[in-house]
Amino acid sequence: MTGAQESRKFYEQYGREMIHEKFPQWEERIACGFVGHGSECFGFDDSLSQDHDFAPGFSMWLTKEDFNQIGYSLERCYQALPVPHPAESSKEGSSASGVFCIPEFYSRYTGSESLPEDWQHWLSIPSWALAEATNGWVYRDDLGLFSEYREHLLNGMPEDVRKKKLASRAFVMAQAGQYNYSRCLSHGEAGAAMLALGEFVPAAIDLVFLLNRRHMPYYKWSLRAMSALPILGNMKDALEFLLVGDNDKTGIETKKDVIEDICINVRDELLRQHLTHGNWDYLEPHAYEIMEHISDPAIRSLNITEG
């Protein structure tokens, strides 16, 4: 049974009844679900994931006013439930169980208790943080406040910010993959060439998420999550090959071709989304053209690599 299944079962078996019996007047004000840090909140956990920070549980989210009134008593009741303790706990363990104040819960990921509105705030939030803040499942949210935050973080990124991030990723792909990978190999610097691939692949993955208007999760889950995306998610195997494929003469030549194929696919999607209009194979001019399509002059004036 996965962590998500365990969580839902635990909520249905113990949590719902606890809230109904001990906090009846608050029942319709307590949002419940399973969201946050950990592979189980993305649905990526397996038997190996259960060796640390793994135990059935769920979260309850309250307004700040409600948390001040019942937060601690609700947490005590939750801790009194028959919750098995994980075999091993880490300092950065799962945050997907217990009682939380809604603004404080989201501030863990956004750095502020307020929803991001200005472009500076949006541009400063890492993609993995937005992914963790919006993953998982919401079982109940009568007030709708928790879901309001969630919806804003899922779909509220300003288009100019998305374009700025796309431009940055396309620029890195051009520089690291299309130019520096081969350049480093020509200099006989195999290690530097691998570092170039280490820049190219994450930039490409993040760019695919941005093209899908989704947030890229933490790096170790990014390829797996990418494979489920409808737009260019099928490039997952090609990107993985760049990281794990042989580096003999044949492998190197194949990797050069794969890099170009990936960049052509990206160019075609940028054209389809009307983010650029040129037909260049090299992604760098596309990156600068995306910058030209940014409406806000303050964002448009940022360095191409920022974001």
Side-chain angles (χ1 to χ4, degrees):
M1 189 176 290
T2 67
Q5 292 169 329
E6 292 271 13
S7 170
R8 188 61 189 244
K9 180 181 177 181
F10 188 81
Y11 167 72
E12 297 291 349
Q13 187 172 1
Y14 298 107
R16 188 193 297 274
E17 183 179 358
M18 177 200 74
I19 295 171
H20 179 71
E21 291 187 353
K22 298 187 177 182
F23 299 89
Q25 68 274 37
W26 305 92
E27 185 173 6
E28 295 183 355
R29 300 184 61 82
I30 301 172
C32 300
F34 192 60
V35 176
H37 180 70
S39 59
E40 61 271 26
C41 293
F42 288 100
F44 294 158
D45 55 305
D46 54 25
S47 59
L48 292 177
S49 308
Q50 300 183 21
D51 63 348
H52 69 286
D53 300 321
F54 187 91
F58 64 96
S59 288
M60 290 167 282
W61 300 287
L62 307 172
T63 66
K64 183 173 290 188
E65 295 75 18
D66 291 350
F67 185 88
N68 289 337
Q69 292 188 59
I70 66 165
Y72 293 109
S73 57
L74 183 60
E75 178 68 31
R76 284 196 298 271
C77 289
Y78 176 79
Q79 292 299 330
L81 296 176
V83 184
H85 294 289
E88 182 180 341
S89 299
S90 62
K91 187 175 181 180
E92 297 297 327
S94 175
S95 61
S97 61
V99 181
F100 303 94
C101 170
I102 293 172
E104 291 178 3
F105 175 83
Y106 280 110
S107 72
R108 296 177 171 196
Y109 303 105
T110 67
S112 171
E113 293 187 6
S114 301
L115 288 168
E117 297 293 348
D118 59 75
W119 67 263
Q120 294 95 333
H121 192 180
W122 274 108
L123 205 60
S124 71
I125 305 173
S127 180
W128 64 262
L130 290 168
E132 286 193 2
T134 56
N135 66 12
W137 299 265
V138 178
Y139 306 149
R140 179 174 185 173
D141 184 14
D142 298 64
L143 282 179
L145 181 61
F146 184 83
S147 297
E148 180 183 333
Y149 271 79
R150 182 180 176 87
E151 176 64 22
H152 187 75
L153 295 180
L154 275 171
N155 300 307
M157 179 184 290
E159 181 64 3
D160 275 355
V161 173
R162 185 178 83 107
K163 289 177 180 176
K164 180 65 196 75
K165 288 176 174 286
L166 282 164
S168 173
R169 305 307 179 269
F171 181 82
V172 171
M173 289 178 68
Q175 287 288 302
Q178 291 180 289
Y179 181 77
N180 279 324
Y181 176 64
S182 295
R183 188 80 171 173
C184 291
L185 290 171
S186 298
H187 283 293
E189 298 178 7
M194 294 305 296
L195 289 174
L197 288 182
E199 294 288 326
F200 175 82
V201 172
I205 298 171
D206 200 7
L207 183 141
V208 170
F209 273 89
L210 288 163
L211 288 172
N212 282 271
R213 299 178 185 273
R214 291 293 179 264
H215 305 307
M216 183 180 74
Y218 193 51
Y219 69 88
K220 68 177 180 178
W221 300 313
S222 60
L223 276 169
R224 181 171 177 177
M226 174 187 165
S227 66
L229 297 176
I231 299 173
L232 300 184
N234 58 357
M235 294 200 309
K236 179 257 188 186
D237 290 343
L239 289 166
E240 191 164 27
F241 168 75
L242 295 177
L243 297 174
V244 304
D246 290 338
N247 289 309
D248 55 18
K249 186 175 181 180
T250 301
I252 286 172
E253 292 304 315
T254 302
K255 287 185 178 184
K256 292 178 182 178
D257 291 339
V258 168
I259 288 171
E260 291 305 319
D261 288 343
I262 289 169
C263 291
I264 293 299
N265 287 335
V266 166
R267 178 204 65 188
D268 290 347
E269 182 59 28
L270 292 173
L271 288 168
R272 193 189 70 80
Q273 294 193 21
H274 305 293
L275 292 161
T276 182
H277 298 94
N279 201 38
W280 315 284
D281 292 345
Y282 192 47
L283 286 183
E284 184 174 306
H286 293 284
Y288 282 104
E289 186 170 352
I290 294 169
M291 291 286 290
E292 293 174 6
H293 285 81
I294 295 173
S295 299
D296 191 317
I299 303 176
R300 193 170 62 246
S301 67
L302 293 173
N303 186 279
I304 188 72
T305 60
E306 288 188 64

